Amino acid sequence: MVTAWSPDGTHTGRPMTADRLDARRSDWDGAVELIDAQVRDVVRREGIDPLRDPAAVSSIVATVVKEYDERSLSGVVPPIGDLEAVSREVHDRVAGFGPLQRYLDDPSVEEIWINEPSRVFIAREGRHELTTTVLTEEEVSDLVERMLKTTGRRIDVSQPFTDARLPDGSRVHIVLGGITQRYAAINIRKFTVRATRLTDLVQLGSLTPHAGAVLEAAVAVGLNILVSGGTQAGKTTMLNALAGSIPGSERVISCEEVFEIKLPIPDWVSMQTRQAGLEGTGEVRLRDLVKESLRMRPSRVIVGEVRGEECLDLLWSLLRRAPVTFEISQRRSSRQTRRRAAKRRGPPRPPRRYKMQALIQTLMATHTCVIHVPIIYRAGNEVCEQRPKPRWFKPDFLPLSSMAG
């Protein structure tokens, strides 16, 4: 049973009926809507971009909520009890992503996705759970528009998929309704920095001290490294940790679909892909970035997730002796990673020039180190395999050394 409290804070002992609960909720909603409208009016007048300047929005929200509370004392507007909760909700509406903002602010949440307005999921420690958040179709459309507002990306009938980067570094993938059964599907993968160096992975238990030392030496001497693993296994985290061992005197060029890599070195150029414009021109593919990176005098090239024809250009860069580190999606093992990378050689070529056997041998000759990160449903993921290039090799034989603790 829910009981009522008097305006002065004393307990009345009377049961709180459903009508009274509805009335209190109605007052709350009305207060939030009124404060929200006033805050948006001030933001428009002062020309503030809420997504780029959330601190200014916070100051405006605090001022408007304080004024509202003072007016509620005279009975002009309905009173609200929890000023902090109202301020947080209004701020999330104006400068954040509404009901999803609390999950974005929660460090334990790794990923958020929306299958339909009434089904919002989150992932914690690799396991997903259905939340109690229920959206409307209009709220989902507003979220899509707000997420793409500052990214320069677009989504429409001619381009029903898109990847973008949110202001906090999270990566969002959107599929337009029509490709999905009815509603837009949204996936937000948060950029949670838990390890910036290989020593951090050792402390987390993802690498043994010996494995960390081996990989740090591999990076220092300029060996080629391929990082593989399933979705959300930690490939980008591993890539960032490896990049933390790059000597500061080297020039690094990174190529990504969406900016995710962060390097602590001074001579670093970061590039990302670009969608085609409304006229169908201006597209920049990952393959184009890999080609251009070789013309920029790189000491090293780092490539984000490789999915297609850019694998062929990576082979050329490897044969040119430019050290390359990149990641590829592969759930099984490092042996399967080599075969999959060989198959992603791009458009069909004459069989006599590009045979699978020759491509696998090329990969084995150039990819000195393959790191495979599996998904393990427990506190953290770990590196399970590392396959170095042997002095002599055959297409179906590679020595295996365990890297897990």
Side-chain angles (χ1 to χ4, degrees), residues 42-302:
V42 176
V43 167
R44 280 192 296 268
R45 283 203 315 267
E46 297 187 5
I48 297 173
D49 186 339
L51 294 179
R52 294 185 184 276
D53 195 358
V57 176
S58 297
S59 177
I60 295 172
V61 169
T63 301
V64 173
V65 169
K66 182 179 179 180
E67 293 174 353
Y68 182 95
D69 186 48
E70 291 173 353
R71 282 186 291 158
S72 68
L73 297 177
S74 60
V76 177
V77 292
I80 49 176
D82 194 341
L83 300 181
E84 184 179 348
V86 171
S87 299
R88 184 168 58 249
E89 181 169 344
V90 173
H91 182 273
D92 290 348
R93 284 185 174 197
V94 178
F97 296 100
L100 299 186
Q101 190 61 44
R102 58 176 173 150
Y103 303 123
L104 291 169
D105 294 337
D106 187 344
S108 68
V109 175
E110 301 165 350
E111 191 165 357
I112 309 160
W113 62 94
I114 302 174
N115 294 344
E116 57 183 70
S118 61
R119 290 188 173 272
V120 180
F121 291 83
I122 61 173
R124 285 190 174 97
E125 297 184 351
R127 297 184 179 275
H128 69 273
E129 56 188 76
L130 178 63
T131 69
T132 57
T133 301
V134 177
L135 307 174
T136 64
E137 190 171 353
E138 292 75 17
E139 285 178 319
V140 173
S141 299
D142 181 65
L143 281 171
V144 171
E145 182 178 351
R146 185 172 299 187
M147 288 175 181
L148 298 182
K149 180 181 178 182
T150 61
T151 63
R153 305 287 175 120
R154 66 182 179 86
I155 189 167
D156 51 36
V157 176
S158 63
Q159 182 67 43
F161 313 100
T162 192
D163 281 293
R165 183 175 180 270
L166 300 182
D168 66 350
S170 301
R171 180 172 179 172
V172 59
H173 179 73
I174 303 172
V175 182
L176 197 63
I179 300 299
T180 58
Q181 188 171 9
R182 181 175 177 183
Y183 304 104
I186 303 174
N187 283 73
I188 304 172
R189 185 175 301 174
K190 293 172 62 177
F191 186 72
T192 53
V193 181
R194 296 179 180 174
T196 57
R197 302 187 67 87
L198 291 169
T199 52
D200 297 333
L201 292 178
V202 172
Q203 293 175 359
L204 290 170
S206 298
L207 287 175
T208 63
H210 172 70
V214 170
L215 293 179
E216 190 159 359
V219 174
V221 300
L223 298 185
N224 300 311
I225 299 175
L226 187 156
V227 181
S228 68
T231 301
Q232 202 68 11
K235 300 186 299 297
T236 303
T237 299
M238 172 60 72
L239 205 60
N240 277 302
L242 290 168
S245 299
I246 296 176
S249 59
E250 297 192 2
R251 175 172 172 78
V252 180
I253 312 296
S254 63
C255 310
E256 305 173 79
E257 288 188 346
V258 177
F259 292 127
E260 287 185 295
I261 298 172
K262 296 183 182 296
L263 302 184
I265 57 178
D267 194 357
W268 167 44
V269 177
S270 177
M271 300 187 292
Q272 73 171 358
T273 59
R274 185 176 66 190
Q275 289 180 312
L278 294 174
E279 301 82 7
T281 60
E283 180 184 14
V284 178
R285 301 171 299 170
L286 189 58
R287 185 177 192 181
D288 301 324
L289 298 181
V290 174
K291 289 180 180 179
E292 294 304 317
S293 69
L294 299 178
R295 301 187 177 101
M296 300 172 68
R297 197 182 178 277
S299 302
R300 296 175 189 261
V301 177
I302 299 179

Side-chain angles (χ1 to χ4, degrees), residues 6-44:
S6 64
D8 61 359
T10 59
H11 193 272
T12 64
R14 298 193 306 272
M16 178 73 77
T17 63
D19 291 341
R20 290 191 179 186
L21 285 172
D22 290 342
R24 176 165 292 187
R25 184 63 200 175
S26 178
D27 288 345
W28 170 279
D29 292 340
V32 169
E33 292 294 337
L34 181 58
I35 295 171
D36 178 275
Q38 292 176 347
V39 169
R40 290 179 187 275
D41 183 55
V42 176
V43 167
R44 280 192 296 268

Side-chain angles (χ1 to χ4, degrees), residues 330 332-341 343 387:
Q330 175 58 254
R332 296 183 181 178
S333 66
S334 56
R335 185 187 299 274
Q336 291 294 326
T337 296
R338 290 179 186 271
R339 293 185 176 277
R340 186 167 180 176
K343 290 179 181 179
R387 292 178 182 260

